[in-house]
């Protein structure tokens, strides 16, 4: 069950090196509301380093406009093109650095986890994710963006909203000594 909060702003980002999507949710109590979504269009920049600077400036601008409490960002998936992965990782890192410079906590989500949280299907298309978000957040179809990267950014924020109030699961133990140290009440001596 989601724990109610007074108010929290969540910025979601779908990293990209051509189009970077973002969405902003306001959570009041247990009710999320979309307050913004859009894209950072990087197509006019030929130089990768200029793209990175623009990402940094725009993400800082979005942060200053909406004052998010937390950032949810899609983790890059592993592709076959190493150069593309490197560039995407840099773009994600610059967006994260902008948030960190404002002391905003960051949570990464795998694309599969985001799609699963929104649609119940980890293989859902961008259009299916966008359609489900439009219905759940009840924004008019006319506000549906041209680039699905914007709804992907919003999906990261919504996925984070769904995770709020749920206990963090330990990543496991590093042997019996670690288990005993973390669970003294479960061990008879």
């Amino acid at each position: 069950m989601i724990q109610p909060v007074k108010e929290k702003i969540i910025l979601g980002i779908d990293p990209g090196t051509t189009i970077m999507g973002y969405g902003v949710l306001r959570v009041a109590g247990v009710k999320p509301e979309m307050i913004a979504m859009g894209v950072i269009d990087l197509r006019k920049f030929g130089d990768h380093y200029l793209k990175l600077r623009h990402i940094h400036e725009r993400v800082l601008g979005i942060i200053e406009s909406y004052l998010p409490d937390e950032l949810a960002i899609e983790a890059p998936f592993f592709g076959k093109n190493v150069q593309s992965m490197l560039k995407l990782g840099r773009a994600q890192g610059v967006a994260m650095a902008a948030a960190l410079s404002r002391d905003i906590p960051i949570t990464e989500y795998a694309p599969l986890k985001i799609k699963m949280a929104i649609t119940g299907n980890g293989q859902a298309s961008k259009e299916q994710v966008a359609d489900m978000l439009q219905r759940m957040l009840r924004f008019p179809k006319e506000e549906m963006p041209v680039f699905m990267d914007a709804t992907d950014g919003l999906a990261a924020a919504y996925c984070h909203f769904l995770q709020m109030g749920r206990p963090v699961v330990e990543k496991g133990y590093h042997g019996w000594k670690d288990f005993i140290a973390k669970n003294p009440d479960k061990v008879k001596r």
Side-chain angles (χ1 to χ4, degrees):
M1 183 171 138
I2 298 168
Q3 299 296 319
V5 292
K6 286 189 175 140
E7 184 175 289
K8 182 180 280 196
I9 305 293
I10 303 168
L11 169 60
I13 292 183
D14 174 36
T17 55
T18 306
I19 304 286
M20 180 175 279
Y22 69 89
V24 184
L25 279 183
R26 174 186 293 121
V27 179
V30 293
K31 184 182 181 305
E33 171 193 8
M34 186 217 25
I35 55 176
M37 75 174 145
V39 296
I40 300 170
D41 191 343
L42 303 161
R43 293 175 295 178
K44 65 184 174 196
F45 300 100
D47 182 69
H48 184 66
Y49 301 107
L50 291 177
K51 288 182 180 189
L52 296 177
R53 182 174 76 187
H54 189 67
I55 290 168
H56 190 263
E57 290 168 354
R58 287 284 288 123
V59 171
L60 278 177
I62 293 165
I63 288 169
E64 288 164 9
S65 295
Y66 298 103
L67 304 172
D69 298 294
E70 297 178 16
L71 170 67
I73 192 163
E74 186 174 303
F77 60 90
F78 294 99
K80 291 183 180 176
N81 186 327
V82 176
Q83 284 301 313
S84 293
M85 285 301 304
L86 180 61
K87 287 179 179 178
L88 184 60
R90 287 176 178 167
Q92 182 199 36
V94 167
M96 293 167 83
L100 290 170
S101 75
R102 298 300 188 263
D103 295 320
I104 298 169
I106 300 166
T107 306
E108 285 186 76
Y109 294 100
L112 184 99
K113 177 154 182 114
I114 294 171
K115 290 176 180 182
M116 198 68 187
I118 306 302
T119 67
N121 175 6
Q123 303 303 314
S125 69
K126 287 178 174 283
E127 291 78 14
Q128 289 171 316
V129 170
D131 186 55
M132 190 62 88
L133 283 169
Q134 188 265 326
R135 285 192 252 156
M136 289 188 298
L137 293 169
R138 295 184 171 97
F139 58 86
K141 285 239 186 238
E142 302 80 56
E143 289 183 31
M144 195 63 82
V146 174
F147 293 104
M148 295 288 113
D149 306 82
T151 48
D152 284 352
L154 187 62
Y158 197 85
C159 177
H160 189 66
F161 158 72
L162 292 172
Q163 300 303 308
M164 288 171 28
R166 296 189 180 168
V168 176
V169 178
E170 284 281 336
K171 290 195 175 189
Y173 303 102
H174 303 287
W176 283 108
K177 286 183 183 178
D178 189 36
F179 176 83
I180 292 166
K182 290 180 181 173
N183 298 283
D185 57 316
K186 294 182 181 178
V187 180
K188 290 182 181 178
R189 295 194 185 242

